[in-house]
Amino acid sequence: MKATAAHETTAAHLPGLCSLAPVEHQDFIRQILDRVGDKWSLFVIGALQDGQLRYTDLQRAVPGISQRMLTLTLRQLQQDGLITRTAYAEVPPRVEYALTRLGTSLLTIVHSLIGWAAAHHDEIREHRYGADV
Amino acid sequence: MKATAAHETTAAHLPGLCSLAPVEHQDFIRQILDRVGDKWSLFVIGALQDGQLRYTDLQRAVPGISQRMLTLTLRQLQQDGLITRTAYAEVPPRVEYALTRLGTSLLTIVHSLIGWAAAHHDEIREHRYGADV
DNA sequence: CAGGATCCGCCACGATACTG
DNA sequence: CAGTATCGTGGCGGATCCTG
């Protein structure tokens, strides 16, 4: 309400969390973050970094993932254009999944994140489990 | 890559998702990912990028976050050594939160992720909501 | 082999009320 | 102002069974 609070730069049109991004992109950022935060998507992407894999290969490549989650994750990733799905009309059926260019570009980011995690691994652990070393 | 196709099939001690990282780090990666994937932590970190903020400032800076979630997120981030909490024994009470060096380094990664999201914003949207534009 | 369909437990998260 | 305590819920994700 009241527009007049112009000189008050506070929250109104202010970056907000938006220090990160323009307000218009916020919910989109949220979506991307949700996807990235998905329990499995990054692992699936990681599993595909060396080339295409079949469904069962992925199951083995990502230990602990359930069929349901694998299927769902794959669908989401495909829908976002991060991976491709190629089904061959053979018997037994064969389906290959592979990263798209977009997916590969995301992988780059993921790598730096993993790299960061690995680099500060110990540092964080220290903080978590007793900072006294 | 898998060229040699050793008799020992890959799965057992194999990289697994580990294309991403050594097996020993897997659960740690998971933890980091969980934190990054947190609904709010990245936004809180982003809000702090321009300097320290107080509790209520953060509430306004991160629209939609509840007190409960803000408190929990802050605690986690602090425990991981990503932010610092400084309480002043005044009345009314005042508490300042700020990024640590570690937190700032993570912010860099986050920025590239946000940057990626912004850059491929349209591309992903196309894929999601009907690829026909 | 590559998935669909279904049931269900768990806990992350939100809303609300209270406090030092 | 800066939290804590408590309750309720959605939906994420696991397990299991079924199919083309």
Side-chain angles (χ1 to χ4, degrees), chain A residues 111-128:
Chain A
H111 272 148
S112 50
L113 181 58
I114 302 289
W116 180 88
H120 302 284
H121 175 249
D122 300 325
E123 198 167 348
I124 293 183
R125 269 240 314 262
E126 274 180 29
H127 282 281
R128 276 195 198 172

Side-chain angles (χ1 to χ4, degrees), chain A residues 13-98:
Chain A
H13 71 311
L14 168 283
L17 74 152
C18 326
S19 321
L20 282 175
V23 116
E24 1 143 3
H25 290 162
Q26 275 189 208
D27 54 341
F28 179 72
I29 300 291
R30 160 103 294 147
Q31 292 176 38
I32 299 293
L33 251 40
D34 283 352
R35 186 98 337 139
V36 170
D38 263 17
K39 194 170 182 182
W40 300 111
S41 39
L42 288 196
F43 288 96
V44 169
I45 290 180
L48 287 173
Q49 74 176 322
D50 293 326
Q52 56 176 20
L53 286 180
R54 307 176 54 169
Y55 188 85
T56 38
D57 291 335
L58 281 167
Q59 269 193 98
R60 285 186 300 105
V62 184
I65 196 170
S66 64
Q67 291 190 347
R68 173 188 151 84
M69 277 301 104
L70 180 53
T71 302
L72 276 149
T73 303
L74 288 171
R75 227 201 304 270
Q76 302 238 14
L77 293 178
Q78 185 193 358
Q79 234 193 332
D80 285 357
L82 297 173
I83 65 172
T84 59
R85 190 192 112 114
T86 315
Y88 299 89
E90 311 173 346
V91 35
R94 182 166 57 103
V95 179
E96 305 270 15
Y97 292 93

Side-chain angles (χ1 to χ4, degrees), chain B residues 54 56 67 71 85 93 97:
Chain B
R54 309 176 53 168
T56 38
Q67 291 191 345
T71 302
R85 191 193 110 112
Y97 292 93

